[in-house]
Amino acid sequence: MRQSGKAVLNYGEGKMVEFPVLGGTIGPEVVDIRTLYGKTGMFTYDPGFLSTASTQSTITYIDGDQGILLYRGYPIEQLAVSCDFLEVAYLILFGDLPDRQQRDKFVQTVMRHTMVHDQINRFFTGFRRDAHPMAVMVGVVGALSAFYHDSLDINDPRQREVAAYRLIAKMPTLTAMAYKYSIGLPFVYPRNNLGYSANFMRMMFSVPAEDYTVNEVLVRALDRILILHADHEQNASTSTVRLAGSSGANPFACIASGIACLWGPAHGGANEAALNMLEDVQKQGGVARIGEFIARVKDKNSGAKLMGFGHRVYKNYDPRAKLMRETTYEVLSELGLGDDPLFKLAMALEKIALEDEYFVSRKLYPNVDFYSGIVQRALGIPTSMFTCIFALARTVGWIAQWNEMISDPDQKIGRPRQLYTGAARRDVVPIEKR
Ligand code: SDX
């Protein structure tokens, strides 16, 4: 971070104050307003943080206008094709791609933490079978802090590292347990000799009564889905994890807070909502009646949104959506589902949205969630599990961002202020006189 200039604020009767303008490696510069309140007695006002940089970070860079996404400087298009998820996880956590020895050691360490304390099984039986799996994951991940007391001290780098390995390794196991519990099938223990994604697929889809054969094409597709979801700058759930971590909360509680935030349909819940939307449109006549659906989306009173479209940062095509569409096509072809009506409906919707003035003028392009539901459905993952898979992948990014926040010398507890528009001071009137 370097000072590249100054910003002058003229306010009140001829009062003026200067602030440093700071630049990073690439991307927008920032006006450092940390002294604004002390100098002027005023706050900035930015609901939704459209113009606010909450931190400096070296992890992920997004250029929304160009549709660029870099993890530690590497383009997502190259990582998604040349690396597997644990290689990318290593990159996001430690700052560079591992060599063969580093990778093997990292994989071995992660895969030796895949089991969970056996008493955690009892948490699942406390939920209704039809509980949303994200409700289960929020509860169970937060409860890990009741088991792993030797990795709660956030001021101990070694304990932070152990917590990181435990979370990355156990999220697939817990996610698969949430799925198995919801369908009344027994939990499947991890198999450490399998790869990360193959192990997850086996825990999700194998049953004790039969042998399970891993389909490498489907495993590779899942692995790519995890890579595409691994991190994404200061999005809502990452900002939630950072804010929770800034109070000194333990790593498991922080990740549970990220899972809770990700669940929202405007954020990580959009893939579930997008697939539900496609299925609804399909039921109402599919491609033949898309026009009526699009008209409803344009009608503000309908409340209908084109789920899987639009993004706070991307005002161009989300690079992850392009890769997700390619992966969807590969999986559907592998499974002989090339004529999948939902995929055809999705591509028809995308074509309309990319040409229709309503969407073009608002720069509403497909985002990562638009195709991810279709490919996960083809992999046999039920709709209600889509956001759990998103949380599984994003745990790597949340941990890296949380670690960066704790290690930042400028770090303080996050405590925004407000513009108060409520009642001025007034006295209480006894109830008999109200
Ligand atoms: C993720 O932040 C991240 O990085 C998130 C994420 C990650 O990896 O962490 O990328 C993952 O959350 C992707 C986004 C998934 N959400 C959805 O697909 C839900 C549908 N999208 C919208 O809810 C919306 O686009 C947001 C929430 C994603 C972005 O909202 P913004 O930036 O606050 O934009 P906005 O709501 O102000 O919309 C601008 C205009 C509005 O119309 P006008 O008031 O100007 O007339 O566009 C309209 C909105 O009504 N609009 C949509 C729309 N999204 C925005 N209209 C129809 N369909 C949509 N999907």
Side-chain angles (χ1 to χ4, degrees):
M1 184 161 65
R2 57 185 162 64
Q3 181 163 349
S4 60
K6 285 180 184 167
V8 175
L9 174 67
N10 293 303
Y11 66 101
E13 302 71 35
K15 288 187 245 178
M16 183 197 75
V17 64
E18 277 188 2
F19 299 101
V21 171
L22 306 176
T25 317
I26 44 180
E29 296 186 324
V30 298
V31 179
D32 180 351
I33 54 154
R34 283 176 284 185
T35 60
L36 172 71
Y37 180 61
K39 287 179 179 172
T40 68
M42 292 194 293
F43 300 135
T44 59
Y45 183 65
D46 186 17
F49 310 120
L50 286 101
S51 301
T52 293
S54 59
T55 183
Q56 60 177 306
S57 179
T58 62
I59 299 171
T60 293
Y61 176 72
I62 305 171
D63 180 326
D65 295 327
Q66 304 298 320
I68 291 170
L69 168 57
L70 309 176
Y71 290 162
R72 300 286 190 177
Y74 293 99
I76 191 70
E77 295 84 356
Q78 296 179 22
L79 294 170
V81 170
S82 309
C83 300
D84 67 19
F85 177 65
L86 283 187
E87 266 181 279
V88 173
Y90 184 100
L91 167 69
I92 290 171
L93 289 167
F94 301 116
D96 217 328
L97 286 166
D99 61 27
R100 171 76 58 191
Q101 187 186 6
Q102 290 166 328
R103 181 196 177 285
D104 292 350
K105 184 171 183 299
F106 180 71
V107 169
Q108 185 197 34
T109 307
V110 168
M111 295 312 288
R112 289 177 60 80
H113 282 75
T114 52
M115 291 183 73
V116 294
H117 191 295
D118 226 36
Q119 283 178 218
I120 285 178
N121 296 4
R122 297 184 203 162
F123 280 88
F124 288 85
T125 54
F127 290 98
R128 286 173 40 152
R129 292 279 182 178
D130 62 353
H132 193 290
M134 283 296 276
V136 174
M137 290 304 287
V138 170
V140 173
V141 172
L144 293 178
S145 49
F147 287 84
Y148 300 114
H149 299 120
D150 60 344
S151 58
L152 298 180
D153 179 359
I154 64 158
N155 299 306
D156 177 346
R158 176 62 186 151
Q159 292 199 30
R160 294 208 303 269
E161 186 183 22
V162 170
Y165 278 114
R166 279 174 166 153
L167 280 159
I168 293 167
K170 298 178 195 311
M171 281 297 281
T173 308
L174 295 170
T175 302
M177 290 170 79
Y179 173 56
K180 288 297 195 189
Y181 182 74
S182 73
I183 56 175
L185 286 178
F187 299 143
V188 175
Y189 283 100
R191 192 60 62 79
N192 296 348
N193 63 333
L194 292 175
Y196 189 83
S197 294
N199 182 43
F200 176 63
M201 292 284 268
R202 182 180 169 279
M203 291 190 289
M204 282 284 287
F205 300 118
S206 74
V207 290
E210 296 172 5
D211 292 335
Y212 178 78
T213 308
V214 172
N215 178 321
E216 289 304 335
V217 173
L218 303 189
V219 166
R220 181 66 195 135
L222 176 78
D223 206 71
R224 182 177 291 182
I225 289 168
L226 299 183
I227 291 172
L228 296 179
H229 288 83
D231 191 54
H232 211 240
E233 204 214 60
Q234 304 311 317
N235 58 84
S237 54
T238 296
S239 299
T240 300
V241 170
R242 279 178 171 263
L243 197 56
S246 74
S247 75
N250 73 69
F252 305 104
C254 292
I255 299 304
S257 73
I259 295 171
C261 177
L262 187 74
W263 193 0
H267 188 16
N271 50 20
E272 176 177 358
L275 195 85
N276 290 337
M277 171 192 76
L278 289 169
E279 287 177 337
D280 288 347
V281 174
Q282 187 63 18
K283 277 185 209 125
Q284 290 158 30
V287 175
R289 298 187 62 183
I290 273 188
E292 293 166 45
F293 173 65
I294 292 292
R296 274 206 313 279
V297 169
K298 292 178 183 177
D299 171 10
K300 291 280 186 219
N301 300 320
S302 76
K305 278 190 181 284
L306 195 52
M307 300 310 282
F309 275 73
H311 198 279
R312 171 60 57 75
V313 176
Y314 287 124
K315 302 309 174 187
N316 198 324
Y317 211 107
D318 182 337
R320 301 168 298 175
K322 281 181 191 150
L323 292 158
M324 194 65 77
R325 185 176 57 185
E326 287 166 19
T327 303
T328 305
Y329 188 74
E330 286 164 15
V331 169
L332 293 174
S333 304
E334 167 70 14
L335 297 173
L337 301 171
D339 293 332
D340 181 290
L342 283 193
F343 186 50
K344 289 185 179 301
L345 175 61
M347 290 197 292
L349 267 177
E350 176 189 291
K351 185 174 185 307
I352 289 172
L354 294 179
E355 293 165 359
D356 186 301
E357 189 277 336
Y358 179 91
F359 301 99
V360 173
S361 64
R362 291 169 175 79
K363 299 186 176 183
L364 300 177
Y365 290 84
N367 59 50
V368 67
D369 293 302
F370 186 55
Y371 286 101
S372 72
I374 302 170
V375 64
Q376 290 185 69
R377 174 175 160 273
L379 292 174
I381 296 166
T383 308
S384 62
M385 289 296 298
F386 290 172
T387 311
C388 296
I389 309 287
F390 194 150
L392 189 169
R394 188 53 60 87
T395 292
V396 168
W398 286 333
I399 289 168
Q401 299 273 353
W402 167 77
N403 253 324
E404 183 177 68
M405 180 270 302
I406 289 176
S407 319
D408 182 346
D410 288 345
Q411 188 262 327
K412 292 180 182 301
I413 187 168
R415 207 278 187 221
R417 301 301 303 274
Q418 64 178 14
L419 173 66
Y420 178 68
T421 54
R425 188 191 183 286
R426 53 184 170 164
D427 296 324
V428 173
V429 174
I431 192 163
E432 41 284 355
K433 294 184 177 172
R434 281 181 223 156

